[in-house]
Amino acid sequence: MMASQLIARFPFGMMPIAILLLAEQRFGSFAVGGLAVGALCIGQAVAGPLNSAVMLRLGFKRVISVLAILSVIAMLAMVAMPTNAPALIALCGLVGFATPPIQPAVRLVYRTIVDDAELGPLFSLHASVQESIWIIGPALTVALVATLGPTASIVAAAAMLATGCAWFVLSRYARLPGDHHDEHTRPRGSVVLQPTIWSSAAVGFFMIGTGAAVEVGIVARFTSEQWVSGLVLAVCAAGSLVGGLAFGHFRPGSRSLVLFGSLFAGGIGLAVVAENPVLLAAALFVSGLGVAPTLSAIFLVVARTLPPAQAAEGYGWVGTGQLTGAALGAAFAGSVVQATAPTTAILLGFVGAMTTLLVAGTTVGRRLDALR
């Protein structure tokens, strides 16, 4: 289950850089690229809770299959429209809106495979393993762009999405918990009003928005050396992988979230003043150490406080917070880079990282303390 969802989600580690470089190649504008990446993230943010709720009502295999087909068609259409910037932005939004709800589905499936005591370490492992998306994805994307062009990376992403979704829905383990039918009368959208959800969504909003801004700044900084940006971003993701494995045994709470947030913010602060790619990669490795443990904590608090029917939609809302942050971070950073310099986007990311530290320690951390 972990491997299949990993392949299905792999395209979204490739698409942001591919879109940025495609827009820069076609239109000579990172601002257009930032808007297109923002549209992709907004589409995912809007559709996340809706698709998660529909998944429980209509069957997740059917919903994931239909959305995967729509998303692949939209991705291939991006390749076929070479000169129309509004069309590119609109298609990116459609790809986002049609993103299959793999993340909520697999987190519910995990509850049928392990007991509650094992759920925390499994979520930590899941958060760590998914960092391979951000390690391999950027490097693979810039390699394809350098050899075959941006369109080749988008076609490859579409093929991975189709393969991963097919493997996921055909797996014999792909079944949902049996107690999710008793709450279908609950008003849709009411889950987001629960403090657990909006606090977790807020942490994800600032952390992922920070990452999106930093990513735009790095891609813009190394436009003439695309392979460098891919390697630097891969090192950052490697830091998150190491952090998830190293801190996965921690019992998350306010103290541990302050530690993870400090690593995240401190690394980005060092990246602002890094003068060469090696120092920049080292700084972002330190920053990455805090990412996977923090993301694991915000999904764990949802799993431990909500029943499956609410948790499915809750995961969608938390994802919406993250994706909204990514959309705003990418769009704003693209405009900032176009008007000033790439380093300004990284500085913007540092402000977001400090906010992440503050919000994580005072909201989700305290809720996890109360569950002990």
Side-chain angles (χ1 to χ4, degrees):
M1 295 308 300
M2 191 173 291
S4 62
Q5 65 85 32
L6 196 65
I7 294 174
R9 295 182 56 241
F10 203 89
F12 299 100
M14 302 172 64
M15 291 293 285
I17 293 181
I19 291 168
L20 285 169
L21 295 176
L22 179 66
E24 198 278 332
Q25 181 191 74
R26 290 181 176 177
F27 313 112
S29 173
F30 279 108
V32 171
L35 288 173
V37 173
L40 174 73
C41 297
I42 289 174
Q44 292 175 307
V46 171
L50 174 64
N51 290 342
S52 297
V54 172
M55 173 181 71
L56 291 180
R57 297 172 185 269
L58 301 183
F60 78 97
K61 293 186 177 184
R62 181 186 308 170
V63 171
I64 288 174
S65 298
V66 171
L67 291 176
I69 292 171
L70 290 175
S71 192
V72 167
I73 291 173
M75 291 165 75
L76 295 178
M78 291 169 57
V79 176
M81 294 186 176
T83 59
N84 194 327
L88 175 64
I89 295 171
L91 286 169
C92 285
L94 179 57
V95 171
F97 192 82
T99 298
I102 292 288
Q103 282 274 57
V106 76
R107 285 192 171 91
L108 288 177
V109 170
Y110 286 160
R111 298 173 77 149
T112 70
I113 299 175
V114 303
D115 57 33
D116 286 343
E118 297 173 311
L119 202 56
L122 179 57
F123 275 10
S124 182
L125 178 62
H126 176 96
S128 301
V129 170
Q130 74 176 357
E131 291 304 321
S132 63
I133 296 173
W134 317 110
I135 296 172
I136 303 172
L140 176 61
T141 301
V142 295
L144 287 170
V145 170
T147 55
L148 300 174
T151 56
S153 62
I154 294 174
V155 171
M160 290 183 183
L161 178 63
T163 300
C165 287
W167 186 9
F168 183 86
V169 300
L170 294 175
S171 171
R172 65 188 179 93
Y173 296 105
R175 61 186 184 276
L176 298 180
D179 57 345
H180 64 273
H181 296 288
D182 57 348
E183 298 191 27
H184 281 176
T185 58
R186 177 179 48 82
R188 185 177 299 173
S190 61
V191 172
V192 75
L193 301 178
Q194 300 196 31
T196 293
I197 299 300
W198 58 256
S199 60
S200 297
V203 173
F205 173 88
F206 289 111
M207 173 165 273
I208 303 303
T210 294
V214 171
E215 180 174 314
V216 171
I218 291 172
V219 171
R221 180 173 174 178
F222 299 105
T223 302
S224 60
E225 298 174 296
Q226 296 170 354
W227 62 274
V228 175
S229 63
L231 288 178
V232 169
L233 293 172
V235 169
C236 178
S240 182
L241 172 60
V242 172
L245 296 176
F247 302 124
H249 65 286
F250 277 38
R251 196 169 182 182
S254 56
R255 290 185 178 180
S256 59
L257 282 175
V258 168
L259 168 62
F260 304 148
S262 297
L263 289 169
F264 180 61
I268 294 178
L270 293 173
V272 174
V273 297
E275 297 181 352
N276 60 64
V278 174
L279 293 177
L280 180 62
L284 292 180
F285 181 87
V286 173
S287 177
L289 291 172
V291 175
T294 301
L295 295 179
S296 173
I298 65 177
F299 283 109
L300 180 61
V301 73
V302 174
R304 285 184 172 172
T305 56
L306 300 178
Q310 293 187 32
E313 187 177 337
Y315 293 141
W317 283 112
V318 174
T320 292
Q322 296 178 2
L323 292 162
T324 302
L328 295 178
F332 189 41
S335 299
V336 166
V337 166
Q338 197 73 24
T340 57
T343 304
T344 310
I346 303 176
L347 180 60
L348 175 67
F350 176 66
V351 175
M354 292 299 295
T355 306
T356 302
L357 168 60
L358 176 63
V359 175
T362 58
T363 59
V364 174
R366 290 183 178 178
R367 295 190 178 281
L368 286 168
D369 289 342
L371 290 173
R372 292 182 175 180

